[in-house]
Amino acid sequence: MAKKRPQTKAKRPQLTNGAHAAGTDGPVPVVGAREPCPCGSGRRYKACHGRAAAHAATELVHRPFEGLPGECDWVALRELVPASTVGLTLRNGLPEGVPSVTLATVLPMAWPALRRDDGSVLIGLQNDTASGDISRDLADTLQRALTADPGTPVEGRRAPADGPRLQDLLDPEGAFEPVVHPGFEFWVPDAENATQEVTASLERANAAAIPTVRLTGVDAAYWCETPDKNHLRWVMPHPEEQLLDALARLHAAGRSSLGEGTRLVGSFRAHGLTVPVWDLPSGVTAEDIEKPAAEFAERLAAALATDSPLTAEERRARGGLTNRQVTLS
């Protein structure tokens, strides 16, 4: 269910001429691995500036969505939510001929992006990325989608190591308000004229989608329904160690549930954030859990403000929670 990945933090890489330059002042272009490095060092590119490019392409950025509005929802849509869309606001406004840019969890045929016939752009969030920086890969896809021919998908590729990130392209003050859909009908504005391939992809995606609802009273909390039981998965922005301490305090005091029959069972770790998970009885709906979740948020805030050492019972509770933690990314 989860993939273990190295948890290292990378700064945005920059390929500049540096100490190797021979009269050049601009960024060093990418050339073939065995060709002479354009910086003038006399070494092959792969042994010179290409080494930094290769490292930048594989080093994992611990929190790729940090600094974006709605970071917790970005994580949820990347890892937990089947069908959702969000309108994006670009830092420099929409280019001519592009009426809107929309982030989607998944696109038909797993396309990284799609420019529709009307010029609008859809970006897929849950695709595999070629480097360790999801933000840079998505930014590269977005830039290419903005200039793609209307009515065409955008193929995946490895983004340039010195390319922009989403944080450079999106308005830092723009709203991030996910809309969760029961299925993927948003793929096809004109279902009657959809290709057979897209129609089949839509049917497969709808059949696999788990019913999911975003709570309205708290941020980045998502109820979902499964055959045996329901769950609440809540992406939280707090530092992991501080959050686990707070959850342990509440768990040891018998105050970590969301009502009768519910239970805090553990957490995910995804893109640098922690996602506590509760089991809910099958009859508990998203609406039923709104008030208990809001009340839990108040208890959690008080526990987060407590800095006294954990008691022995709280340490045991913390150990139980960490033993049930799964890393998604």
Side-chain angles (χ1 to χ4, degrees), residues 46-291:
K46 70 175 184 179
C48 191
H49 281 86
R51 181 178 300 169
H55 180 69
T58 58
E59 189 174 6
L60 182 67
V61 174
H62 187 54
R63 286 178 63 178
F65 308 117
E66 184 176 14
L68 292 173
E71 179 188 6
C72 293
D73 282 306
W74 276 93
V75 172
L77 268 55
R78 167 75 182 182
E79 299 293 344
L80 306 173
V81 181
S84 182
T85 56
V86 189
L88 298 180
T89 304
L90 303 189
R91 186 184 290 268
N92 296 320
L94 292 170
E96 184 178 356
V98 180
S100 63
V101 175
T102 302
L103 180 76
T105 46
V106 181
L107 294 180
M109 314 302 298
W111 289 325
L114 170 67
R115 190 165 185 203
R116 285 178 162 160
D117 291 334
D118 66 356
S120 61
V121 167
L122 288 174
I123 303 293
L125 180 58
Q126 292 184 9
N127 295 307
D128 290 336
T129 54
S131 80
D133 188 352
I134 298 170
S135 178
R136 187 177 67 241
D137 288 337
L138 288 172
D140 178 68
T141 299
L142 172 57
Q143 285 188 310
R144 291 185 292 125
L146 292 173
T147 58
D149 292 333
T152 60
V154 174
E155 301 294 335
R157 73 170 190 182
R158 174 167 289 177
D162 60 347
R165 307 178 74 235
L166 287 174
Q167 288 82 347
D168 302 314
L169 302 183
L170 301 183
D171 184 349
E173 303 300 325
F176 192 83
E177 300 175 354
V179 176
V180 178
H181 304 277
F184 294 89
E185 280 71 21
F186 65 86
W187 282 357
V188 189
D190 184 5
E192 292 183 359
N193 293 322
T195 66
Q196 184 176 357
E197 211 174 21
V198 169
T199 299
S201 183
L202 174 62
E203 291 174 352
R204 289 193 300 270
N206 280 344
I210 295 173
T212 301
V213 176
R214 182 176 185 260
L215 299 193
T216 60
V218 295
D219 292 334
Y222 291 80
W223 170 95
C224 67
E225 180 182 23
T226 61
D228 296 329
K229 62 185 70 174
N230 298 341
H231 305 280
L232 184 72
R233 301 179 291 191
W234 191 342
V235 186
M236 296 187 172
H238 317 291
E240 181 180 6
E241 297 303 315
Q242 182 186 8
L243 176 58
L244 289 175
D245 281 353
L247 292 173
R249 295 181 197 277
L250 295 176
H251 202 59
R255 305 182 70 207
S256 64
S257 77
L258 299 175
E260 184 177 356
T262 71
R263 186 167 68 99
L264 174 65
V265 293
S267 63
F268 296 110
R269 182 190 292 114
H271 306 293
L273 299 182
T274 303
V275 189
V277 179
W278 285 262
D279 280 351
L280 313 173
S282 295
V284 174
T285 66
E287 185 177 358
D288 294 333
I289 215 69
E290 287 277 9
K291 182 178 179 182

